[in-house]
Amino acid sequence: MAPAGNRGARAVAPAVLVLALALAPRGASAALTCSTVYNELMPCLGYVQSGGAVPRACCSGIKTLVSRARATPDRRAACACLKTVAAAAAGGPYLGRAAGLPGRCGVQPPFKIDPNVNCNAYVTPKPEA
């Protein structure tokens, strides 16, 4: 059984995710929706809540998300979705674990998991001439 101090904290992360789904910005021209972003990252929830080993399905979801966020609207949409979750989780251990996930999975996403990130800065790189 979890210590009394952790029971409330464990209930917060799923509530934050549900709230983020309801409040998340919708990208009109982006193919990636917040529902897609959250579904890909749902296997990461246990790690974000409790730490420990990062599930393979979590890393797979992160890799899928990064591969789908190639165009500027998709990068910005994914960033905005994650920014909403990060803002709701700020102040606890969840944000640090979530922000560190890409590195633990060996992936470099084109956006940060941070409540203060400027999502408009994320654009598709121009091909070299």
Side-chain angles (χ1 to χ4, degrees), residues 32 60-71 74 107 109-111:
L32 279 177
S60 177
I62 292 171
K63 289 174 184 174
T64 297
L65 180 61
V66 168
S67 73
R68 293 182 70 185
R70 293 188 189 262
D74 292 322
V107 178
F111 39 79

Side-chain angles (χ1 to χ4, degrees), residues 10-88:
R10 289 181 187 266
V12 172
V16 166
L17 187 59
V18 170
L19 179 64
L21 276 169
L23 299 177
R26 310 276 189 251
S29 62
L32 279 177
T33 65
C34 286
S35 293
T36 300
V37 171
Y38 302 142
N39 285 335
E40 291 295 343
L41 299 180
M42 190 58 74
C44 303
L45 187 58
Y47 170 78
V48 171
Q49 287 178 317
S50 305
V54 178
R56 278 189 211 161
C58 171
C59 290
S60 177
I62 292 171
K63 289 174 184 174
T64 297
L65 180 61
V66 168
S67 73
R68 293 182 70 185
R70 293 188 189 262
T72 297
D74 292 322
R75 288 173 183 237
R76 289 179 177 169
C79 174
C81 298
L82 294 172
K83 180 177 180 173
T84 300
V85 173

